[in-house]
Protein backbone atom coordinates (compact mmCIF):
# COMPACT_ATOMS: atom_id res chain seq x y z
CA UNK A 1 0.00 0.00 0.00
CA UNK A 2 1.15 3.55 -0.80
CA UNK A 3 2.56 5.62 2.04
CA UNK A 4 1.06 8.94 3.02
CA UNK A 5 2.51 12.18 4.35
CA UNK A 6 0.49 14.54 6.52
CA UNK A 7 1.45 17.64 8.51
CA UNK A 8 1.71 16.75 12.20
CA UNK A 9 -0.58 19.54 13.37
CA UNK A 10 -2.90 22.32 12.18
CA UNK A 11 -5.14 24.97 13.71
CA UNK A 12 -8.45 26.20 12.39
CA UNK A 13 -10.81 28.94 13.61
CA UNK A 14 -14.25 27.78 14.65
CA UNK A 15 -16.79 28.23 11.86
CA UNK A 16 -14.15 28.34 9.13
CA UNK A 17 -13.32 25.55 6.71
CA UNK A 18 -10.59 23.16 7.78
CA UNK A 19 -8.48 21.91 4.88
CA UNK A 20 -6.33 18.92 5.76
CA UNK A 21 -3.76 17.90 3.12
CA UNK A 22 -2.35 14.46 2.41
CA UNK A 23 0.41 13.51 -0.01
CA UNK A 24 0.40 10.03 -1.52
CA UNK A 25 2.76 10.35 -4.48
CA UNK A 26 3.26 6.57 -4.86
CA UNK A 27 -0.44 5.74 -5.06
CA UNK A 28 -1.36 3.12 -7.63
CA UNK A 29 -4.38 3.03 -9.86
CA UNK A 30 -6.50 0.69 -7.74
CA UNK A 31 -5.78 2.30 -4.37
CA UNK A 32 -8.42 4.31 -2.57
CA UNK A 33 -7.90 7.25 -0.24
CA UNK A 34 -9.57 6.87 3.16
CA UNK A 35 -9.94 9.36 5.97
CA UNK A 36 -10.57 8.49 9.60
CA UNK A 37 -10.43 10.65 12.68
CA UNK A 38 -9.82 9.96 16.34
CA UNK A 39 -11.24 12.25 18.96
CA UNK A 40 -9.23 12.18 22.17
CA UNK A 41 -9.32 8.79 23.92
CA UNK A 42 -11.99 7.39 21.58
CA UNK A 43 -11.81 4.78 18.85
CA UNK A 44 -11.22 6.04 15.29
CA UNK A 45 -14.24 7.07 13.24
CA UNK A 46 -14.67 6.68 9.49
CA UNK A 47 -15.14 9.96 7.62
CA UNK A 48 -15.00 9.43 3.88
CA UNK A 49 -13.16 7.65 1.08
CA UNK A 50 -12.69 7.98 -2.68
CA UNK A 51 -10.82 6.66 -5.70
CA UNK A 52 -10.42 9.56 -8.14
CA UNK A 53 -13.59 11.61 -8.13
CA UNK A 54 -14.30 14.17 -5.46
CA UNK A 55 -16.62 12.89 -2.78
CA UNK A 56 -18.93 14.58 -0.30
CA UNK A 57 -21.00 13.29 2.57
CA UNK A 58 -22.65 14.78 5.64
CA UNK A 59 -19.34 15.03 7.46
CA UNK A 60 -16.81 16.26 4.91
CA UNK A 61 -15.64 16.62 1.33
CA UNK A 62 -12.68 14.83 -0.22
CA UNK A 63 -10.82 16.50 -3.07
CA UNK A 64 -8.37 14.28 -4.98
CA UNK A 65 -6.01 15.88 -7.49
CA UNK A 66 -6.19 14.78 -11.09
CA UNK A 67 -2.86 12.92 -10.88
CA UNK A 68 -4.07 11.36 -7.58
CA UNK A 69 -0.78 12.14 -5.87
CA UNK A 70 -2.43 14.23 -3.17
CA UNK A 71 -5.80 14.90 -1.60
CA UNK A 72 -7.48 17.33 0.78
CA UNK A 73 -10.12 16.62 3.38
CA UNK A 74 -12.41 19.60 3.88
CA UNK A 75 -14.54 20.15 6.97
CA UNK A 76 -16.72 23.02 5.71
CA UNK A 77 -17.61 24.65 9.02
CA UNK A 78 -15.30 23.40 11.73
CA UNK A 79 -16.63 23.16 15.27
CA UNK A 80 -14.84 22.55 18.55
CA UNK A 81 -16.03 18.93 18.36
CA UNK A 82 -13.94 18.48 15.21
CA UNK A 83 -10.74 18.76 17.26
CA UNK A 84 -9.13 15.36 16.65
CA UNK A 85 -6.33 13.50 14.94
CA UNK A 86 -7.11 12.92 11.27
CA UNK A 87 -5.64 9.94 9.47
CA UNK A 88 -5.20 9.68 5.71
CA UNK A 89 -4.85 6.07 4.54
CA UNK A 90 -4.25 4.75 1.05
CA UNK A 91 -4.94 1.16 0.21
CA UNK A 92 -6.55 -1.24 -2.18
CA UNK A 93 -10.24 -1.67 -1.40
CA UNK A 94 -10.51 -5.45 -1.23
CA UNK A 95 -10.31 -8.19 1.34
CA UNK A 96 -7.01 -8.97 3.03
CA UNK A 97 -4.33 -6.28 3.03
CA UNK A 98 -3.80 -4.54 6.29
CA UNK A 99 -4.84 -1.02 7.24
CA UNK A 100 -1.90 1.22 8.20
CA UNK A 101 -2.91 4.33 10.13
CA UNK A 102 0.30 6.34 10.49
CA UNK A 103 0.49 9.30 12.89
CA UNK A 104 -2.03 11.62 11.20
CA UNK A 105 -2.65 15.38 11.59
CA UNK A 106 -3.70 16.77 14.94
CA UNK A 107 -6.35 19.41 14.17
CA UNK A 108 -7.19 21.96 16.84
CA UNK A 109 -10.28 24.09 16.30
CA UNK A 110 -9.87 27.40 18.09
CA UNK A 111 -12.88 29.32 19.46
CA UNK B 1 -27.25 -1.98 17.81
CA UNK B 2 -24.56 -1.65 20.43
CA UNK B 3 -21.88 -1.68 17.71
CA UNK B 4 -18.46 -2.79 18.91
CA UNK B 5 -18.05 -3.25 22.65
CA UNK B 6 -14.86 -3.84 24.60
CA UNK B 7 -14.25 -4.93 28.17
CA UNK B 8 -12.68 -3.99 30.45
CA UNK B 9 -12.23 -0.24 29.99
CA UNK B 10 -9.15 -0.16 32.22
CA UNK B 11 -6.83 -2.86 33.54
CA UNK B 12 -3.66 -2.93 35.58
CA UNK B 13 -1.51 -6.07 35.42
CA UNK B 14 1.74 -7.17 36.94
CA UNK B 15 4.50 -8.47 34.70
CA UNK B 16 3.91 -12.12 33.90
CA UNK B 17 0.18 -12.11 34.53
CA UNK B 18 -2.23 -13.23 31.86
CA UNK B 19 -5.52 -11.73 30.80
CA UNK B 20 -8.05 -11.62 28.00
CA UNK B 21 -9.38 -8.46 26.42
CA UNK B 22 -12.92 -8.98 25.22
CA UNK B 23 -14.40 -7.64 21.99
CA UNK B 24 -17.89 -8.21 20.65
CA UNK B 25 -19.91 -6.82 17.77
CA UNK B 26 -23.59 -7.20 16.96
CA UNK B 27 -23.50 -6.09 13.31
CA UNK B 28 -22.83 -9.57 11.87
CA UNK B 29 -19.51 -8.34 10.49
CA UNK B 30 -17.10 -10.90 9.07
CA UNK B 31 -13.89 -8.90 9.62
CA UNK B 32 -12.61 -8.15 13.10
CA UNK B 33 -9.24 -6.82 14.14
CA UNK B 34 -7.18 -5.68 17.11
CA UNK B 35 -4.95 -2.59 17.16
CA UNK B 36 -2.72 -1.08 19.78
CA UNK B 37 -1.96 2.60 20.12
CA UNK B 38 1.03 3.91 22.00
CA UNK B 39 1.48 7.57 23.01
CA UNK B 40 2.20 9.81 20.02
CA UNK B 41 1.85 6.97 17.57
CA UNK B 42 -0.79 5.81 15.18
CA UNK B 43 -2.62 2.52 15.42
CA UNK B 44 -0.73 -0.68 14.73
CA UNK B 45 -2.49 -3.89 13.73
CA UNK B 46 -1.94 -6.86 16.06
CA UNK B 47 -4.15 -9.65 14.70
CA UNK B 48 -7.19 -9.85 12.50
CA UNK B 49 -9.86 -12.33 11.47
CA UNK B 50 -11.73 -12.66 8.20
CA UNK B 51 -14.40 -14.91 9.66
CA UNK B 52 -15.15 -17.46 12.35
CA UNK B 53 -12.31 -19.94 12.65
CA UNK B 54 -9.85 -17.85 10.62
CA UNK B 55 -7.22 -15.54 12.08
CA UNK B 56 -4.00 -13.98 10.83
CA UNK B 57 -1.14 -11.88 12.13
CA UNK B 58 -0.85 -8.15 11.70
CA UNK B 59 2.10 -5.82 12.08
CA UNK B 60 2.88 -6.47 15.77
CA UNK B 61 1.57 -9.95 16.76
CA UNK B 62 4.27 -11.08 19.21
CA UNK B 63 3.01 -11.65 22.76
CA UNK B 64 -0.64 -11.87 21.75
CA UNK B 65 -2.97 -14.72 20.84
CA UNK B 66 -6.42 -14.62 19.28
CA UNK B 67 -9.19 -17.01 18.32
CA UNK B 68 -12.52 -16.54 16.56
CA UNK B 69 -15.01 -19.23 17.55
CA UNK B 70 -18.07 -17.10 16.72
CA UNK B 71 -18.81 -14.25 14.34
CA UNK B 72 -19.61 -11.95 17.25
CA UNK B 73 -16.58 -12.36 19.50
CA UNK B 74 -12.85 -11.82 18.98
CA UNK B 75 -10.90 -11.98 22.26
CA UNK B 76 -7.25 -10.94 22.55
CA UNK B 77 -5.11 -12.89 25.00
CA UNK B 78 -1.94 -11.79 26.70
CA UNK B 79 -0.31 -14.97 28.02
CA UNK B 80 2.50 -13.31 30.01
CA UNK B 81 2.14 -9.55 30.20
CA UNK B 82 5.20 -7.34 29.78
CA UNK B 83 5.61 -3.58 30.43
CA UNK B 84 6.07 -3.11 26.68
CA UNK B 85 2.43 -4.14 26.27
CA UNK B 86 1.25 -1.06 28.18
CA UNK B 87 -0.97 0.58 25.60
CA UNK B 88 -4.51 1.39 24.52
CA UNK B 89 -6.12 -1.47 22.64
CA UNK B 90 -8.84 -0.98 20.06
CA UNK B 91 -11.02 -3.62 18.47
CA UNK B 92 -12.65 -2.98 15.10
CA UNK B 93 -15.05 -4.76 12.79
CA UNK B 94 -16.13 -4.35 9.19
CA UNK B 95 -18.62 -6.00 6.92
CA UNK B 96 -16.06 -7.05 4.36
CA UNK B 97 -12.36 -6.44 4.13
CA UNK B 98 -10.29 -3.56 5.47
CA UNK B 99 -11.51 -1.46 2.57
CA UNK B 100 -14.98 -1.45 4.05
CA UNK B 101 -15.81 1.08 6.72
CA UNK B 102 -14.29 -0.06 9.99
CA UNK B 103 -16.20 0.45 13.22
CA UNK B 104 -14.08 0.81 16.33
CA UNK B 105 -14.78 0.05 19.94
CA UNK B 106 -14.11 2.52 22.77
CA UNK B 107 -10.77 0.96 23.68
CA UNK B 108 -9.17 -0.81 26.65
CA UNK B 109 -6.41 0.99 28.54
CA UNK B 110 -3.85 -1.49 29.84
CA UNK B 111 -1.02 -0.75 32.26
CA UNK B 112 1.56 -3.45 32.92
CA UNK B 113 3.73 -2.84 35.95
Amino acid sequence: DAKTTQPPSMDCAEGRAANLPCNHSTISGNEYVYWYRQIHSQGPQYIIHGLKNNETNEMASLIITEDRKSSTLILPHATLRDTAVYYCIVRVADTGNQFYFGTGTSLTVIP
Amino acid sequence: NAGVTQTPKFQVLKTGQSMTLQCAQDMNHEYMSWYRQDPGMGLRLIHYSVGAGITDQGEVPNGYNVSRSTTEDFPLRLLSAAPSQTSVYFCASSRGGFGETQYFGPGTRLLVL
Side-chain angles (χ1 to χ4, degrees), chain B residues 19 31 40 45-46 65 74 76-77 80 99 104 109 113:
Chain B
M19 80 160 295
Y31 265 62
L45 184 66
I46 304 171
N65 282 345
F74 190 42
L76 179 72
R77 282 183 285 276
S80 179
F104 285 81
R109 284 149 185 78
L113 301 174

Side-chain angles (χ1 to χ4, degrees), chain B residues 63-93:
Chain B
Y64 307 95
N65 282 345
V66 292
S67 60
R68 183 94 179 271
S69 56
T70 67
T71 299
E72 295 78 19
D73 300 298
F74 190 42
L76 179 72
R77 282 183 285 276
L78 285 71
L79 296 179
S80 179
S84 61
Q85 293 178 304
T86 293
S87 189
V88 181
Y89 292 84
F90 290 100
C91 179
S93 74

Side-chain angles (χ1 to χ4, degrees), chain B:
Chain B
N1 289 347
V4 180
T5 58
Q6 293 183 237
T7 56
K9 286 188 172 62
F10 304 97
Q11 184 70 49
V12 178
L13 290 178
K14 294 181 180 178
T15 296
Q17 286 185 315
S18 63
M19 80 160 295
T20 299
L21 281 65
Q22 301 291 344
C23 175
Q25 53 89 11
D26 61 359
M27 298 174 281
N28 201 32
H29 284 170
E30 289 297 323
Y31 265 62
M32 296 186 73
S33 51
W34 277 101
Y35 295 85
R36 61 176 288 174
Q37 186 172 35
D38 301 310
M41 297 183 69
L43 283 81
R44 292 184 292 170
L45 184 66
I46 304 171
H47 285 285
Y48 66 98
S49 169
V50 301
I54 306 170
T55 63
D56 205 348
Q57 295 181 349
E59 185 183 358
V60 288
N62 292 339
Y64 307 95
N65 282 345
V66 292
S67 60
R68 183 94 179 271
S69 56
T70 67
T71 299
E72 295 78 19
D73 300 298
F74 190 42
L76 179 72
R77 282 183 285 276
L78 285 71
L79 296 179
S80 179
S84 61
Q85 293 178 304
T86 293
S87 189
V88 181
Y89 292 84
F90 290 100
C91 179
S93 74
S94 62
R95 184 179 58 186
F98 287 104
E100 297 272 349
T101 299
Q102 293 195 69
Y103 296 86
F104 285 81
T108 293
R109 284 149 185 78
L110 177 67
L111 173 63
V112 183
L113 301 174

